[in-house]
Amino acid sequence: MPPPVPPPAPDGAWTETRERLREAATTEPGRLRIIGAALALLVVAFGAVTAWQAADRFSAADGVVSRSQPLSADAANIYRSLADADTAAASGFLAGAQEPREVQDRYQKDIATASRLLIKAATHTDSSSDSGRQIATLNEQLPRYTGLIERARANNRQGLPLGGAYLRYANQQMSTELLPAAEKLYQAETARLARDNDDARLWPFASLAMGVLAFGGLFWAQRRTYLRTNRVLNHGLLAATTASTALLLWLAVGQTVARAELNGAQVHGQKSLKVLNDARINSLKARANENLTLVARGAVLTPDGKHDKYETDYTTGMDRLSTALGEAKRLADDSAGGKPVDDAIASVAQWRERHASASSTDKAGDYNGALEKVIGGENSTGQSFDRVDSALQQALAQEQREFTRSASDGRGALTGLAVGAGVLALVGAVGAILGIGRRLSEYR
C-alpha cells in the first residue's frame, strides 16, 4: 500500500498577506485602499522624522543659548578673574605696607568670582570629563595661591624682603598651574559650544527627503483621481497636500533662518568674544608682569640670563594684545562694537609710551619715580591699563549682546516645529484617508 501523501504546507503569514494584496490590487476599490494606506503612512513618517530632527536641532540650539555659551563665558571669566587677581596682588604689594583698600577689594572680588564660577561650572560638568579635571585642579590650586599671597602680604607689612619671594612664587604658580588649567577649561567649553552650534545648523536631510516623497505621492494620487474621474479637486487629498506642503516649507524656511542666525552668532559673536577675551587676558598678564618688574628689580632673568624675565614677558603680552585688538577691529561689524576697540588700541599705544618712560626712570636709579609712573594716579601706566580694561569690557558686553540676540533668533526659528510636525502630519494622514474614503464610497 503506498504511503499517504502529506498535505501541502500552509502558506506563511507573509505569503498570505502578499496574495491578499495581489488580489485586492486587481480591483479599483482594492487599489484605492492600498493607495490610501500608503499615503497615510508616508505623511505620518514625514511628520515623525521631522519631529525627531526638529527636536534634535532645537535642543542643540537651546544648548548654545542656555548652556554651552554661558559656560564658555563663565570659563573665560574664571581665567580673567584669576589673571586680574594676580595683577591686583602685585599692584597692592608695590603700594607698600599699607595696601590701598580699593586694590585689596579688587583682589578679594576676583577670587570670590572665580570661586563662585568654579562651583557653578562643576554643577554642570561631568567630573570625569576634561573640563571636570581642570575644575578639580583649579579648586585644588586656588587655596594654595591665596595662601602664598597672604604670606607675601604679611612679610611686606613687616618690611621683610621675603615677601617679594612669596609674591614671585605665587605668580609662578598662577602662570604655570592655575592659568593653564583655566585656559584648558575655556578651550573645552568653547569646543562644546562649537559642537552644539554645528549640530543645530545641520540640515535635516532625512526630513526634507521624506517631505518631498510625501508631496510627490499626494500629487500623484490627486492626478490619478483627476484622470479617472475628471474631478479637479478632492478635498481630503487637497487638505493632506496643503498640510504636507506647509510642513515642508516650515521645515525648510525655519532651518534656513536658524542656520543663518546661528552662523552670524558664531562669526560675529563667538569669534569676536574669543578674540576680545584673549586681548583682555593678555592685557592683564602684561600689567602683572609690569608690576613684577619693579617687585623683582632685575632679580629674575630669562633662561639665557641676558634679560629681565618680567620685562620680556610684558613686551610679549603687549605684542599679543595689539595683535588681538587688530583682529577684534577686523571682526567688529558695527560702530557699537568698533568704537571700544578703537579706544583700547589708543590706550595701548599710550600705555607703551608711559611704560617706556617708567622703565627709563627706573634704569636711571629713580625707583620711587618709576613706581609713581606705574601705580600712581594721573599719567601712570595703571591709568592706561584701566582704560584698556574698561574699553575691552564694553566691547565684550556689546559682542555678548550680539551673540545672544542672533543665537536666540536662531533657536526661535525652530520653536514649535517638532509639535507642529506632529499636528500637520496627523491632519495630512486624516485628509488622505478621508479623500480616498470619498472615492471608495462611490463603489458602494
Side-chain angles (χ1 to χ4, degrees), residues 386-407:
D386 288 339
R387 289 173 178 171
V388 171
D389 193 63
S390 177
L392 288 174
Q393 188 174 6
Q394 292 177 31
L396 280 165
Q398 172 62 24
E399 296 301 331
Q400 182 65 59
R401 287 191 293 269
E402 289 289 324
F403 178 92
T404 302
R405 181 192 60 78
S406 295

Side-chain angles (χ1 to χ4, degrees), residues 43 46-48 50-51 242-252 417 420-422 424-425:
V43 174
F46 173 37
T50 300
T242 301
S244 297
T245 303
L247 179 54
L248 186 60
L249 289 174
W250 188 358
L251 173 64
L417 180 54
L424 289 173

Side-chain angles (χ1 to χ4, degrees), residues 150-432:
E150 293 308 317
R151 291 181 183 179
R153 285 174 170 170
N155 281 275
N156 194 39
R157 283 193 294 268
Q158 299 177 44
L160 300 176
L162 190 59
Y166 275 120
L167 183 66
R168 292 193 298 273
Y169 185 43
N171 173 261
Q172 181 182 6
Q173 186 183 21
M174 176 65 75
S175 301
T176 60
E177 299 287 344
L178 287 161
L179 291 183
E183 183 175 8
K184 289 178 182 177
L185 175 63
Y186 175 61
Q187 291 173 347
E189 295 304 328
T190 302
R192 178 159 64 171
L193 170 60
R195 289 194 298 271
D196 284 345
N197 193 293
D198 289 342
D199 290 344
R201 293 187 297 125
L202 188 65
W203 274 108
F205 291 110
S207 300
L208 293 171
M210 288 298 301
V212 172
L213 189 61
F215 179 82
L218 288 165
F219 178 80
W220 172 83
Q222 289 181 92
R223 185 174 184 276
R224 182 181 186 276
T225 300
Y226 169 72
L227 292 175
R228 289 177 178 270
T229 65
N230 206 30
R231 293 172 184 168
V232 178
L233 296 178
N234 179 299
H235 294 94
L237 292 177
L238 181 61
T241 304
T242 301
S244 297
T245 303
L247 179 54
L248 186 60
L249 289 174
W250 188 358
L251 173 64
V253 173
Q255 187 65 42
T256 300
V257 173
R259 280 175 59 86
E261 293 294 343
L262 289 168
N263 185 66
Q266 183 182 44
V267 173
H268 300 295
Q270 184 58 29
K271 286 185 178 179
S272 293
L273 285 171
K274 184 179 185 306
V275 170
L276 289 169
N277 277 319
D278 289 344
R280 197 174 189 191
I281 288 166
N282 280 307
S283 72
L284 290 164
K285 286 182 177 180
R287 178 59 178 170
N289 284 313
E290 182 178 50
N291 290 335
L292 286 167
T293 300
L294 294 178
V295 172
R297 297 189 182 185
V300 182
L301 302 178
T302 54
D304 59 11
K306 296 180 180 179
H307 305 284
D308 185 299
K309 177 184 182 302
Y310 295 119
E311 180 66 24
T312 301
D313 289 345
Y314 161 82
T315 303
T316 300
M318 293 297 285
D319 290 343
R320 290 176 178 172
L321 170 59
S322 296
T323 300
L325 287 175
E327 180 67 10
K329 177 64 177 176
R330 185 185 68 81
L331 291 172
D333 57 347
D334 55 29
S335 59
K339 186 180 183 304
V341 176
D342 288 336
D343 292 342
I345 292 173
S347 296
V348 166
Q350 181 190 70
W351 184 0
R352 286 181 182 273
E353 292 176 0
R354 291 178 176 180
H355 176 83
S357 175
S359 180
S360 298
T361 301
D362 185 34
K363 290 176 181 178
D366 186 2
Y367 176 81
N368 290 330
L371 192 63
E372 180 64 24
K373 291 183 177 182
V374 171
I375 65 171
E378 290 292 326
N379 301 320
S380 68
T381 61
Q383 183 187 54
S384 299
F385 162 74
D386 288 339
R387 289 173 178 171
V388 171
D389 193 63
S390 177
L392 288 174
Q393 188 174 6
Q394 292 177 31
L396 280 165
Q398 172 62 24
E399 296 301 331
Q400 182 65 59
R401 287 191 293 269
E402 289 289 324
F403 178 92
T404 302
R405 181 192 60 78
S406 295
S408 297
D409 288 347
R411 179 183 63 179
L414 299 172
T415 300
L417 180 54
V419 175
V423 173
L424 289 173
L426 179 61
V427 171
V430 171

Side-chain angles (χ1 to χ4, degrees), residues 51-70:
W52 162 55
Q53 291 201 312
D56 185 64
R57 303 306 188 272
F58 178 83
S59 177
D62 185 61
V64 168
V65 177
S66 305
R67 296 185 299 274
S68 304
Q69 206 285 325

